[in-house]
Amino acid sequence: TEDIVPYVSYSTSFFPILDADSGTGQPFKPETGRQTEVGFRHQPDQGKFGYSVAFYDLRRQNYVTSDPETLRNRQTGEVTARGLEFEGLLKPTPSLNILASYTLSLKSEITKSSDPSEIGKPIKGTPKHQFNIWSDYKTPVGVKLGIGVRYKGSHHGDLDGSPAKVPSYALYDARVSYDYQNWNFAISGRNITNKRTLAFCANWACGYGEKRRIMATATANW
């Protein structure tokens, strides 16, 4: 209709594996993936407000896992991820934009593996909750000011071979920009408070997240 657009998408992928089965000597087949997404977009009130809702189903198949008894690598792995995504845009005034997105993970687990103890475990690095909010305002003199927050919920990892819980965190970003003729000048910052976070825990080690980063850009359009 004029303001509601339903959609469905389906895609597949593959990734070559540069290794061979240690038992047979045969090269492994490529990993495969498939994604299905169903949703709709709704934009009433002449574009001053809009949102979208989507359900996704992701499958990663044929990835290599290790048999704990024979120590043989076998191509029997599969992981499944399902969830809901929400996105929204609000324009209270012509100069002010507010954008928000939220992802809810309904299922994120290992469904097949050469190691039976892995089946049913959550996928590493995949939180149940994630959201982003960004707002920008264009001043009367043409300077645009923006600020936002990125939140990632706690998720599963491992440390020294044991399950580990990676804590949640929220990071703040900001941007100042100005348009002059066909040029755009901007200074943007990510993690502007320089908050120290853990990004992941895997393979017997944990890694820190991104530090504060400030970047200046000049862009010309023609």
Side-chain angles (χ1 to χ4, degrees):
T1 66
E2 290 185 358
D3 53 10
I4 297 179
V5 180
Y7 71 92
V8 59
S9 69
Y10 177 80
S11 60
T12 61
S13 62
F14 72 94
F15 184 77
I17 304 298
L18 303 179
D19 200 357
D21 189 314
S22 57
T24 64
Q26 295 296 317
F28 286 124
K29 298 177 181 179
E31 280 189 15
T32 60
R34 63 182 179 89
Q35 172 181 324
T36 304
E37 184 173 323
V38 179
F40 70 91
R41 300 182 180 92
H42 185 204
Q43 192 172 27
D45 198 19
Q46 298 179 349
K48 296 181 179 179
F49 170 70
Y51 66 92
S52 65
V53 180
F55 169 80
Y56 64 86
D57 182 291
L58 305 172
R59 302 288 178 93
R60 177 189 174 195
Q61 298 171 314
N62 289 342
Y63 81 93
V64 178
T65 60
S66 178
D67 188 322
E69 295 184 359
T70 64
L71 300 181
R72 174 184 169 187
N73 289 336
R74 300 173 58 193
Q75 198 169 25
T76 57
E78 178 185 85
V79 296
T80 300
R82 296 188 186 125
L84 294 171
E85 291 183 339
F86 304 87
E87 294 184 354
L89 168 65
L90 177 64
K91 295 175 68 69
T93 70
S95 301
L96 179 63
N97 296 310
I98 302 174
L99 298 93
S101 64
Y102 169 70
T103 301
L104 171 64
S105 177
L106 301 175
K107 180 178 182 179
S108 175
E109 65 181 43
I110 299 171
T111 48
K112 292 181 182 179
S113 175
S114 301
D115 185 352
S117 65
E118 290 186 341
I119 298 176
K121 287 186 176 181
I123 303 172
K124 298 173 186 176
T126 306
K128 187 174 183 65
H129 304 281
Q130 292 186 86
F131 73 78
N132 299 281
I133 298 177
W134 177 264
S135 177
D136 59 58
Y137 174 74
K138 190 170 185 179
T139 65
V141 296
V143 177
K144 182 178 285 189
L145 307 173
I147 190 167
V149 59
R150 294 176 284 131
Y151 172 83
K152 186 173 183 178
S154 61
H155 55 88
H156 172 77
D158 66 54
L159 187 62
D160 294 333
S162 301
K165 185 177 181 180
V166 181
S168 62
Y169 60 82
L171 301 178
Y172 296 90
D173 305 325
R175 178 181 171 90
V176 179
S177 64
Y178 180 72
D179 292 323
Y180 177 74
Q181 295 181 357
N182 63 319
W183 285 87
N184 174 268
F185 302 93
I187 298 177
S188 58
R190 291 174 60 85
N191 188 13
I192 57 176
T193 62
N194 203 28
K195 184 175 182 178
R196 179 179 291 184
T197 62
L198 282 179
F200 66 90
C201 285
N203 300 326
W204 298 276
C206 293
Y208 285 118
E210 179 185 32
K211 287 187 174 183
R212 177 170 51 214
R213 184 175 67 175
I214 308 297
M215 181 164 53
T217 58
T219 307
N221 297 291
W222 64 88

